[in-house]
Amino acid sequence: MRRINPQRVSDTICKEAGRTRPDRRCPGRPPTVSRCIDTDFRQEMAGDVLSGLTGSVKSIPCKYLYDAYGSRLFDRICTLTEYYPTRTEIAILEGNASRIMDFFSGRDGSLVEIGSGSDLKIRSLLRGLSGQGAGQVLYVPVDISETSLLRSAHRLLDDFPWLSIQALVADFTRHIDRLPEGRKLIAFFGGTFGNFTHEQGVALLQGFARIMGGHDRMLLGIDMLKPAGIIEAAYNDRSGVTAEFNRNILKHVNRRLSADFRPDDFEHLAFFNPDREQVEMHLKARSRVRAYIAEVGLSVCLEPEETILTEISRKFSRARATACFDEAGLVPVRWFTDADAWYSLVELAARA
Ligand SMILES: C[S@@+](CC[C@H](N)C(=O)[O-])C[C@H]1O[C@@H](n2cnc3c(N)ncnc32)[C@H](O)[C@@H]1O
């Protein structure tokens, strides 16, 4: 598959603006969009849902929480008082943006954002670019949710008109080879990394390590261990937005795979599992539930109180995170954290 060449993109833009060298004053154009997900998406979802709901523990992969409505709900979750990760991560970003964005000091490169969602966090980093000293930056947001990706890209261009944006509608577990060639800073925010088991997480990071050159960096957001009450409140907000977000996965399955789940047959259940050091989010059947998924010809039957696992969110100690990085061939260069050490942004380099 062809990778994007950021240098070529920025050169083209600047030539069109009558300049010979890339320059931050050179205005970007409307975002260009590459799609790695299209017709095969429903097929992949069918396979994932079939294997998830016929396994010994019923589950649906959490990436299917994010259709257009799910992405909007997640944006609302990020604004909730109980949901500490977003405001904590933004505070860390704001306090360290210029140090982090030194990466672009006098040098061109790509700022890749994996599972970008809303533009809230990348704004903090873009504001940290020092005016004259920075090279041309190509911003490459990558997300499975096209609506969310495009909405954010357009909003960003309103405020950072000099930015070039190459949006990638992609599954970051499958399409890492579509990331730009050349120097890049890969931001992976929101604790999304914690949605993967240890084995999956290491495999994912190994994929990034493989495509990172010696000067590339990854900025990985991880949620740290803290008292269980604080964690559980974040996934059980009083206004019920997280419950709606959780149940929306069934609406997404209904729509794409012609299924007949009734989301109200399920209760939202989210708790911290101390043995696994992770939050587990489930949908718990209020009574005996039957549903039919026409696209895969599957009848699903759940007993009362039986659950479907929809997401895990791992919480890390430094030691546990470092062990993951080490296994994946990544080395922490700097840790940025808040005063309570509730959250960390870890700058990682590929091991030489
Ligand atoms: C927990 S949200 C984080 C959003 C944002 N980065 C933040 O920090 O607030 C996860 C984001 O990753 C996207 N996502 C989840 N799984 C994905 C996958 N396999 N490939 C691409 N995007 C994915 C979702 O659409 C969503 O925008």
Side-chain angles (χ1 to χ4, degrees):
M1 275 187 251
R2 204 169 71 78
R3 292 217 218 139
I4 306 160
N5 181 335
Q7 186 59 59
R8 206 162 52 217
V9 174
S10 60
D11 276 351
T12 311
I13 291 166
C14 289
K15 274 180 196 139
E16 284 181 6
R19 297 174 200 277
T20 50
R21 288 179 53 76
D23 180 323
R24 279 191 63 217
R25 287 164 298 165
C26 172
R29 353 175 213 202
T32 55
V33 186
S34 304
R35 291 177 184 82
C36 307
I37 296 173
D38 36 46
T39 45
D40 63 345
F41 186 76
R42 181 190 299 200
Q43 216 177 339
E44 189 197 337
M45 185 183 195
D48 286 344
V49 169
L50 181 64
S51 61
L53 292 180
T54 50
S56 53
V57 176
K58 291 187 173 62
S59 64
I60 302 176
C62 66
K63 65 184 175 188
Y64 299 119
L65 289 163
Y66 297 94
D67 61 353
Y69 183 52
S71 298
R72 281 206 308 279
L73 287 171
F74 184 75
D75 290 351
R76 276 177 63 198
I77 290 172
C78 291
T79 65
L80 298 170
T81 320
E82 296 96 329
Y83 198 74
Y84 63 84
T86 303
R87 63 172 175 277
T88 313
E89 190 171 28
I90 289 176
I92 300 171
L93 280 170
E94 286 185 344
N96 297 283
S98 55
R99 291 172 67 201
I100 294 167
M101 294 304 267
D102 258 359
F103 182 84
F104 296 102
S105 170
R107 305 282 305 271
D108 293 356
S110 306
L111 174 58
V112 177
E113 188 179 5
I114 301 296
S116 48
S118 97
D119 47 313
L120 208 59
K121 293 176 186 169
I122 211 69
R123 282 172 178 275
S124 312
L125 279 188
L126 291 173
R127 281 193 289 263
L129 269 178
S130 66
Q132 289 306 309
Q136 175 82 25
V137 179
L138 173 70
Y139 173 54
V140 184
V142 181
D143 207 287
I144 204 165
S145 171
E146 179 164 352
T147 339
S148 162
L149 196 60
L150 292 185
R151 196 176 47 228
S152 302
H154 283 286
R155 263 198 313 243
L156 274 177
L157 282 177
D158 286 344
D159 294 334
F160 302 92
W162 46 266
L163 193 64
S164 300
I165 303 186
Q166 170 82 60
L168 202 56
V169 186
D171 181 336
F172 59 68
T173 62
R174 297 170 56 218
H175 303 122
I176 284 179
D177 58 341
R178 295 295 294 268
L179 295 186
E181 289 170 349
R183 293 183 81 240
K184 53 194 162 295
L185 173 61
I186 304 172
F188 193 4
F189 298 141
T192 307
F193 173 67
N195 297 149
F196 294 87
T197 63
H198 175 82
E199 292 71 22
Q200 292 167 339
V202 168
L204 186 63
L205 292 185
Q206 272 167 345
F208 286 112
R210 261 195 299 273
I211 60 150
M212 283 167 70
H215 296 292
D216 295 345
R217 294 289 180 266
M218 172 170 234
L219 189 62
L220 182 70
I222 52 174
D223 198 12
M224 307 305 280
L225 282 168
K226 60 185 71 58
I230 297 168
I231 298 175
E232 289 189 338
Y235 293 82
N236 290 285
D237 63 276
R238 279 161 295 180
S239 42
V241 186
T242 312
E244 173 75 0
F245 173 68
N246 193 6
R247 284 192 202 100
N248 180 58
I249 204 169
L250 296 179
K251 295 183 191 163
H252 192 191
V253 171
N254 283 350
R255 197 178 63 253
R256 293 242 192 208
L257 303 182
S258 309
D260 60 2
F261 282 105
R262 285 192 310 252
D264 288 341
D265 287 348
F266 294 86
E267 203 178 298
H268 166 72
L269 174 70
F271 58 88
F272 181 67
N273 177 336
D275 297 328
R276 297 186 172 213
E277 298 183 335
Q278 64 188 24
V279 169
E280 295 176 10
M281 194 162 85
H282 298 255
L283 288 165
K284 183 165 94 174
R286 295 185 200 274
S287 56
R288 177 170 293 192
V289 170
R290 281 182 187 284
Y292 183 64
I293 308 173
E295 187 79 16
V296 290
L298 178 71
S299 290
V300 186
C301 181
L302 285 101
E303 296 303 320
E305 310 226 326
E306 192 181 344
T307 72
I308 300 173
L309 175 67
T310 51
E311 187 181 79
I312 62 164
S313 180
R314 293 161 68 213
K315 309 299 165 191
F316 293 87
S317 61
R318 263 202 194 207
R320 196 161 169 233
T322 306
C324 277
F325 305 150
D326 190 47
E327 232 179 288
L330 291 169
V331 186
V333 180
R334 291 188 285 186
W335 289 75
F336 303 102
T337 188
D338 55 296
D340 299 315
W342 278 10
Y343 198 91
S344 293
L345 274 166
V346 195
E347 191 181 283
L348 298 159
R351 195 163 44 226

